[in-house]
């Protein structure tokens, strides 16, 4: 049974920070590229950040300089540190695991809501 469980979402004021966590089970975590996606109402899902097993990272232009992604392979967990949050960051954030060799093998978490509002 593969499970990705996100946590850490919530309501935060503009300029605030949150750290999202995604705990994975049932997969060989270290051989998966891990990513964070988000989807706001009426909008398409978009990639926010990704990290390879070796620590290489990619970020959406909209979050560069504000967000950081990291992983702890010993804990099978990927994190998304979100700083200087803006209202446009409001979305459901989803954790994704993509097999680094067999890209058709990927998994999704249930999502966690992030709301940035005053």
């Amino acid at each position: 049974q593969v499970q990705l469980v996100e946590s850490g979402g919530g309501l935060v004021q503009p300029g605030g920070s949150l750290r999202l966590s995604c705990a994975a089970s049932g997969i060989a975590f270290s051989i998966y590229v891990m990513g964070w996606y988000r989807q706001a109402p009426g909008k398409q899902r978009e990639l926010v950040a990704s990290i390879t097993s070796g620590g290489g990272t990619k970020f959406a232009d909209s979050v560069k300089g504000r967000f950081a992604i990291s992983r702890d392979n010993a804990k099978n967990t990927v994190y998304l540190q979100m700083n200087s949050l803006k209202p446009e960051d409001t979305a459901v954030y989803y954790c994704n695991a993509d097999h680094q060799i067999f890209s058709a093998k990927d998994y999704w978490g249930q999502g966690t809501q992030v709301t940035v509002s005053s």
Side-chain angles (χ1 to χ4, degrees):
Q1 181 83 12
V2 176
Q3 287 189 308
L4 302 177
V5 181
E6 301 98 332
S7 62
L11 175 64
V12 65
Q13 295 185 58
S17 298
L18 286 173
R19 189 177 79 153
L20 306 183
S21 299
C22 172
S25 61
I27 62 169
F29 183 81
S30 64
I31 63 171
Y32 281 77
V33 177
M34 301 301 299
W36 287 97
Y37 291 74
R38 67 186 182 188
Q39 187 167 22
K43 297 182 179 179
Q44 294 188 354
R45 183 190 65 186
E46 64 174 344
L47 175 67
V48 177
S50 65
I51 183 167
T52 68
S53 61
T57 60
K58 293 181 179 180
F59 297 92
D61 288 342
S62 59
V63 306
K64 286 180 180 177
R66 300 189 297 120
F67 290 12
I69 188 170
S70 61
R71 66 192 293 162
D72 186 338
N73 288 343
K75 295 182 178 180
N76 287 3
T77 301
V78 63
Y79 305 94
L80 184 68
Q81 179 66 47
M82 305 185 293
N83 300 320
S84 302
L85 283 161
K86 303 175 180 180
E88 52 262 44
D89 295 318
T90 296
V92 177
Y93 284 70
Y94 296 94
C95 179
N96 171 261
D98 185 15
H99 198 286
Q100 65 184 17
I101 302 299
F102 302 102
S103 61
K105 280 192 172 183
D106 66 341
Y107 303 95
W108 294 90
Q110 83 289 343
T112 185
Q113 177 71 47
V114 172
T115 302
V116 184
S117 177
S118 59

